[in-house]
Amino acid sequence: MAKRTKINAILLNPETQYETTVKGWVRTFRSNRFIALNDGSTNNNLQLVIDFTTMDEALLKRITTGAAIAASGTIVASQGKEQRVEMNVSALEILGDSDPEKYPLQPKKHSLEFLREIAHLRFRTNTFAAVNRVRNTLAYAIHEYFQQQGFVYLHTPVITASDAEGAGQMFSVSVLDKLNPPKNEDGTINYAMDFFGRPTNLTVSGQLEAELGAMALSEVYTFGPTFRAENSNTTRHLAEFWMIEPEVAFNDLHDNMDLAEGLLKFCIQQALTKNADDLAFLNNRLLDEEKQKPTNERSEMSLLDSLNFVVSNDFVRLTYTEAIQILKESTPNKKKKFAYLVEEWGVDLQSEHERYLVEKHFKKPVILTDYPKDIKAFYMRMNEDGKTVRAMDILFPGIGEIVGGSQREERLEILEQRMDEMHIPKEEMYWYLDTRRFGTCPHAGFGLGFERLVLFVTGMGNIRDVIPFPRYPKNAEF
């Protein structure tokens, strides 16, 4: 057989009348003559035309949905209207049989809930093939954006002894005997006997370690898995997810906002450019879904309109205090339509509040800044008013918060005071405080939840459908 050519390359090639080989999985086989073949390089299939009179009957019976095959032949202009080119097959080989009675992905529409149960096979559907190709583009774009600006890619620990968020919702890492762990005299577990000699967990963030890198390398970013043992079964939460966390020495909050807005626009534009077919498919899929909803619940913009809108508009920037005033005066708040009414300054904004600001009030992505110190982390820089910190959250339509960050507190005395207030053990965090003791400087950073970005760009409704193998309470399959 000739050298393999990917189906996407064949469909993009204007030439015909050349010999090649394709390999992929059978989507359909009809009339014992036409095979729709897909190899994952595109959602579009290549039609293979076989002369059944020259094919062995036993071979024909093995051409079933899901089977892997290799076919060689001539690429010619198609006789049908559904495709521009097709292959006249001269040789065909079965690489892997598929039992048509047991193969769960028949040529029909399957629910996303069902496909989650067979996540090991859902890549073969058009929806999940498109989502994962878009995910790939966005992951590459993250690196491209930072590398173009001279950032250093830093690998921060997956196993850590610190809790960056102070939330305590972490997965423990231990090799101690679960049934009979070594004990201290007071009956507590003796972690000195554990592998690392102390309690350790899976990380919830690489931020604190990234700050250490930024204090020498100036611009660093992390891109890796993070874990949260939060018993949350929502469409927006995962127990294992990927985070992008840049940290930049000498940046202030305004620099931080510029960097984050630039990153988001760059990544979305890359997907629009490189995944035009996939996004067109996902756009149509979403339009079909919208038709099933009552008119008053339908989105005002299509997926493609939303993506182009984000890329072409400046994000609105306002303070938390300004946002609270808008929300207090809003119609849904006055008419008690919000599940969480906004009555006083200092409340933590809920997703419904964030989406109101983005989707109803401004109708643009929003960056909120200067939050009350009591609802933000210890490492955020205190403002002169003593009540607010130099925090920033970026809010997107349909998603709510997609980026959270701040200018970091570089002043040792104030940082130690904040740690005392929030009961963060300074002795264990000596290494973090050392960056404030030896050559401290203003610096800033943020965290971007990668799956939330993929969720927005693909228009999918559940975060479990934008990561290949979702991990959530009571589920760790595959």
Side-chain angles (χ1 to χ4, degrees), residues 117-378:
E117 294 173 7
I118 55 166
H120 57 303
L121 295 174
R122 67 179 180 171
F123 299 105
R124 300 191 189 188
T125 65
N126 283 339
T127 297
F128 286 94
V131 166
N132 281 282
R133 282 190 295 266
V134 171
R135 182 183 172 103
N136 170 69
T137 295
L138 292 172
Y140 185 78
I142 296 289
H143 290 292
E144 198 174 2
Y145 178 79
F146 286 121
Q147 293 295 326
Q148 285 176 359
Q149 299 194 43
F151 278 64
V152 174
Y153 178 31
L154 198 68
H155 293 135
T156 52
V158 170
I159 298 173
T160 178
S162 65
D163 179 1
E165 301 297 324
Q169 297 167 323
M170 304 176 78
F171 292 102
S172 65
V173 176
S174 175
V175 298
L176 295 177
D177 186 335
K178 294 181 178 62
L179 297 177
N180 188 29
K183 299 285 184 67
N184 296 310
E185 288 185 6
D186 61 1
T188 59
I189 294 176
N190 182 5
Y191 284 103
M193 304 297 291
D194 208 346
F195 188 90
F196 293 107
R198 61 188 301 184
T200 51
N201 307 285
L202 294 180
T203 186
V204 297
S205 169
Q207 177 208 313
L208 302 186
E209 292 87 355
E211 284 189 54
L212 309 185
M215 290 300 100
L217 302 168
S218 287
E219 298 98 6
V220 303
Y221 71 103
T222 77
F223 188 0
T226 50
F227 309 85
R228 184 159 296 179
E230 183 178 0
N231 190 16
S232 180
N233 262 305
T234 77
T235 59
R236 294 287 184 271
H237 290 90
L238 290 166
E240 175 185 291
F241 51 98
W242 288 67
M243 286 288 289
I244 299 99
E245 296 176 296
E247 290 292 329
V248 189
F250 316 113
N251 267 14
D252 63 16
L253 187 66
H254 298 287
D255 301 319
N256 209 32
M257 290 190 280
D258 291 342
L259 182 71
E261 183 171 342
L263 171 66
L264 290 167
K265 287 182 174 180
F266 179 84
C267 290
I268 293 169
Q269 185 58 63
Q270 289 295 95
L272 285 166
T273 302
K274 295 181 178 180
N275 295 90
D277 285 350
D278 291 321
L279 290 177
F281 168 82
L282 292 168
N283 184 72
N284 291 335
R285 176 192 168 278
L286 205 55
L287 289 175
D288 288 341
E289 274 192 2
E290 290 288 307
K291 290 175 185 176
Q292 312 302 318
K293 297 179 181 178
T295 306
N296 64 331
E297 292 182 14
R298 294 177 187 174
S299 299
E300 295 180 10
M301 287 191 287
S302 70
L303 173 62
L304 288 173
D305 288 339
S306 295
L307 298 179
N308 283 298
F309 188 77
V310 168
V311 168
S312 58
N313 279 285
D314 291 337
F315 296 3
V316 176
R317 302 182 182 190
L318 72 158
T319 66
Y320 166 91
T321 301
E322 291 168 327
I324 285 292
Q325 195 57 40
I326 291 169
L327 290 166
K328 284 173 70 174
E329 298 299 321
S330 69
T331 300
N333 197 61
K334 287 183 173 180
K335 292 189 174 182
K336 302 188 185 305
K337 294 288 181 67
F338 283 144
Y340 298 88
L341 296 180
V342 180
E343 296 176 330
E344 59 185 23
W345 188 93
V347 298
D348 204 351
L349 298 185
Q350 303 297 318
S351 179
E352 60 179 342
H353 307 138
E354 296 170 342
R355 292 185 61 178
Y356 173 82
L357 292 168
V358 173
E359 297 168 26
K360 302 298 182 184
H361 188 82
F362 291 108
K363 297 187 177 180
K364 287 183 182 180
V366 170
I367 308 181
L368 287 186
T369 65
D370 301 292
Y371 282 78
K373 67 174 184 177
D374 293 337
I375 61 173
K376 287 297 181 181
F378 73 93

Side-chain angles (χ1 to χ4, degrees), residues 402-428:
I402 194 169
V403 164
S406 71
Q407 184 173 334
R408 312 311 190 189
E409 183 56 80
E410 85 279 13
R411 299 163 295 185
L412 177 62
E413 185 178 328
I414 296 175
L415 180 60
E416 287 186 323
Q417 182 180 329
R418 288 287 288 146
M419 292 175 78
D420 287 339
E421 289 173 7
M422 301 182 76
H423 308 292
I424 307 291
K426 290 182 294 188
E427 298 76 17
E428 292 182 19

